[in-house]
Amino acid sequence: YDYFNSMMEYLRTDPIDDFDWSIYDHENLEAGDMFILAQVGTGDKDGIAGFGFFNTEPYTAPNWKSKDGTSRFYAKMSLHCLISHNFDEPYENDEPLFCARELEEKFPNVDWHKGHAGVLIPEDTVEPLILHLMKNTLPLKCGDENVAFTEDNNANPLRTFFAQYINGLCPNFKQKIIDAGTLEYENFKEDETVDK
């Protein structure tokens, strides 16, 4: 918990772009894939603890769990948001942001209480889950006690990250935005084809 809280404080001022994580299901992992970091095994405190992108393809390095000379697969991650579930008292009426109890109701085909280093989220859950993250995270301010993300000139950098998530992982929502009407583009050049 102390390490997690110190990471939250760091993220409020500087990006965390080279965070290493050991990856069990590494075969299909590519740089640029989104990850959702879950806190598990803590009962009422289980839930989503952060999200971001993988920066690298999987690579091998010495096994962090043992000193027996074996290696494991790792990937570097860019953390976009961290969410603390480390409350002194179990919650009663106010649900913490993205707690497992709430997620189980909305996304029952994901086990929010256990896992290992890398579980693929079912394809039909990806888009609704990203939209749920976006809807509930975008209104937050970085100064909120239990949420941290890097602020950029008082703008919400999560808008940029969620735009990237939507573009790559939310085709139905992306099409609804395009169909809704005129969009404005920065640095648009005449005769340029815009597909993002």
Side-chain angles (χ1 to χ4, degrees):
Y1 289 165
D2 289 342
Y3 179 66
F4 187 86
N5 289 335
S6 68
M7 285 181 56
M8 287 187 71
E9 287 306 311
Y10 186 89
L11 185 60
R12 288 188 170 105
T13 57
D14 295 292
I16 300 178
D17 290 328
D18 59 353
F19 188 69
D20 282 310
W21 199 260
S22 65
I23 307 296
Y24 184 80
D25 290 332
H26 61 274
E27 289 86 0
N28 297 315
L29 178 67
E30 297 177 3
D33 284 350
M34 180 188 184
F35 69 83
I36 293 173
L37 187 64
Q39 177 171 309
V40 298
T42 58
D44 279 350
K45 296 180 181 181
D46 285 0
I48 291 176
F51 53 84
F53 282 123
F54 286 104
N55 290 337
T56 65
E57 306 293 321
Y59 60 90
T60 56
N63 189 339
W64 67 273
K65 290 180 98 173
S66 66
K67 307 271 188 211
D68 60 2
T70 60
S71 60
R72 294 176 75 95
F73 282 92
Y74 298 84
K76 289 194 181 292
M77 302 155 67
S78 176
L79 287 163
H80 296 167
C81 181
L82 288 173
I83 302 154
S84 176
H85 292 259
N86 301 329
F87 303 109
D88 292 332
E89 299 293 329
Y91 48 78
E92 290 182 14
N93 297 325
D94 284 338
E95 300 277 30
L97 190 62
F98 308 128
C99 71
R101 186 161 50 196
E102 171 218 2
L103 294 166
E104 285 170 326
E105 292 176 15
K106 295 184 183 307
F107 310 102
N109 57 345
V110 176
D111 188 339
W112 295 103
H113 290 285
K114 64 180 179 180
H116 52 81
V119 177
L120 284 175
I121 294 175
E123 190 173 337
D124 60 350
T125 303
V126 171
E127 184 164 351
L129 181 55
I130 291 172
L131 296 178
H132 181 72
L133 284 171
M134 182 175 70
K135 175 184 173 187
N136 291 283
T137 309
L138 281 178
L140 299 174
K141 302 289 183 215
C142 191
D144 292 348
E145 182 180 351
N146 295 314
V147 179
F149 51 86
T150 304
E151 288 192 291
D152 182 16
N153 298 326
N154 297 320
N156 185 334
L158 292 178
R159 290 182 185 139
T160 301
F161 299 138
F162 278 120
Q164 293 170 359
Y165 300 156
I166 288 167
N167 191 59
L169 297 169
C170 300
N172 297 325
F173 186 69
K174 177 182 172 184
Q175 193 59 50
K176 285 181 185 177
I177 294 172
I178 292 169
D179 294 344
T182 304
L183 299 175
E184 294 182 10
Y185 301 96
E186 291 183 14
N187 305 319
F188 180 75
K189 298 176 185 68
E190 193 170 345
D191 298 324
E192 179 182 9
T193 300
V194 177
D195 61 358
K196 294 188 177 181

